[in-house]
Amino acid sequence: PSTPKKEPKTAEPTSTAAKKPFGERTETRVQMSRMRLRIAERLKDAQNTAAMLTTFNEIDMSTIMAVRSKYKDAFLEKHGVKLGFMSAFVAASAKGLMAHPQVNGQIDGKEIVYHDYADISVAVATPTGLVTPVLRNTESMSFHEIEAEIAALGRKARDGKIAIEDMLGGTFTISNGGVYGSLMGTPILNPPQTAILGMHGIFKRPVAVGDSIEIRPMMYVALTYDHRLIDGSDAVLFLRKIKSGVEDPTTLLLDL
């Protein structure tokens, strides 16, 4: 009698994971750039020196968004730059700094230095780190001048052409984490400045408008300040000044 043929054995599937030792991982160690080291040093100095406190508010962006939507094309055609929200925040901050000189001041040893101008640093993210180029004399700048200067400084920063002179001498800083979708945060002071405004993302939320509930585009804003120089009342009133200016840009145009 013939013997039955044996079926050929099929190869068992091999696991790629089985070939790799369990838990094998790698690490990469790189040298910190000079800019990153300097940023870390300045931020830590601010924490160690200033008595930092943060106050918050929220801004209804409905009006400024409507203005932007209505005039953005005409603005671009006439001035050659896009109309964004930063011009309103810079203009409102400049008005607030002129009305609240403590927020626009700085501590120098045992003296307080007050500035009669508003040089606002605007935080810009670059591949090598965060830089803060300065807009000079914003208290006398128009919306299109602010937008043009921000665009020019942003290009220089991203192209790595920003100079030290572009980042010196600011009296106040605006940081916009909203471009990354941040809901809320507490910015750290940019010494020797004594205050910094943190902008955040715009999100639709139900809010009370009169006696009714409406869905409005809202933004949380945060003001971190040095309590050694700025009292809580000044910080709150300053932030309310920014809120009123952005919610009703007419007050900025009429210098109210």
Side-chain angles (χ1 to χ4, degrees), residues 173-221:
T173 294
I174 298 177
S175 176
N176 186 7
V179 295
Y180 305 107
S182 170
L183 175 65
M184 185 182 292
T186 54
I188 298 178
L189 289 178
N190 180 19
Q193 300 172 15
T194 53
I196 177 173
L197 175 71
M199 298 167 56
H200 299 95
I202 302 171
F203 300 98
K204 290 185 177 181
R205 291 191 285 110
V207 294
V209 180
D211 294 328
S212 62
I213 301 296
E214 297 183 14
I215 303 298
R216 294 288 184 94
M218 305 296 293
M219 176 193 290
Y220 287 118
V221 286

Side-chain angles (χ1 to χ4, degrees), residues 70-83:
K70 183 177 181 179
Y71 295 108
K72 63 180 180 180
D73 293 334
F75 189 90
L76 177 61
E77 183 179 352
K78 180 173 182 177
H79 301 296
V81 291
K82 294 181 179 180
L83 176 60

Side-chain angles (χ1 to χ4, degrees), residues 33-108:
S33 66
R34 292 178 61 185
M35 179 177 289
R36 177 60 60 186
L37 286 168
R38 182 58 178 157
I39 291 172
E41 179 184 332
R42 285 177 60 83
L43 293 179
K44 193 58 185 173
D45 284 346
Q47 283 188 320
N48 293 338
T49 303
M52 289 193 291
L53 192 63
T54 304
T55 186
F56 300 91
N57 213 318
E58 60 181 359
I59 296 178
D60 184 346
M61 299 292 289
S62 301
T63 301
I64 192 67
M65 290 177 71
V67 169
R68 180 177 182 269
S69 178
K70 183 177 181 179
Y71 295 108
K72 63 180 180 180
D73 293 334
F75 189 90
L76 177 61
E77 183 179 352
K78 180 173 182 177
H79 301 296
V81 291
K82 294 181 179 180
L83 176 60
F85 300 130
M86 282 300 297
S87 50
F89 278 91
V90 170
S93 297
K95 297 293 184 185
L97 292 172
M98 294 295 96
H100 299 274
Q102 294 90 339
V103 184
N104 200 36
Q106 67 185 56
I107 296 175
D108 185 11

Side-chain angles (χ1 to χ4, degrees), residues 95-244:
K95 297 293 184 185
L97 292 172
M98 294 295 96
H100 299 274
Q102 294 90 339
V103 184
N104 200 36
Q106 67 185 56
I107 296 175
D108 185 11
K110 295 184 178 180
E111 297 179 333
I112 301 173
V113 181
Y114 294 103
H115 306 98
D116 60 359
Y117 53 87
D119 286 357
I120 297 181
S121 306
V122 178
V124 177
T126 70
T128 55
L130 191 70
V131 296
T132 52
V134 181
L135 305 176
R136 313 284 178 184
N137 296 109
T138 58
E139 76 284 355
S140 58
M141 294 175 73
S142 64
F143 273 41
H144 77 267
E145 288 173 333
I146 293 171
E147 293 289 0
E149 188 67 12
I150 289 175
L153 290 171
R155 283 193 299 269
K156 289 179 67 175
R158 287 186 291 272
D159 294 342
K161 297 179 180 179
I162 201 80
I164 295 297
E165 293 76 17
D166 294 323
M167 297 184 285
L168 294 177
T171 63
F172 181 75
T173 294
I174 298 177
S175 176
N176 186 7
V179 295
Y180 305 107
S182 170
L183 175 65
M184 185 182 292
T186 54
I188 298 178
L189 289 178
N190 180 19
Q193 300 172 15
T194 53
I196 177 173
L197 175 71
M199 298 167 56
H200 299 95
I202 302 171
F203 300 98
K204 290 185 177 181
R205 291 191 285 110
V207 294
V209 180
D211 294 328
S212 62
I213 301 296
E214 297 183 14
I215 303 298
R216 294 288 184 94
M218 305 296 293
M219 176 193 290
Y220 287 118
V221 286
L223 180 76
T224 297
Y225 59 98
D226 191 344
H227 212 348
R228 297 177 303 165
L229 176 59
I230 303 171
D231 293 332
S233 58
D234 285 315
V236 171
L237 291 173
F238 172 77
L239 194 55
R240 286 179 58 187
K241 186 77 171 177
I242 295 175
K243 172 183 169 70
S244 63

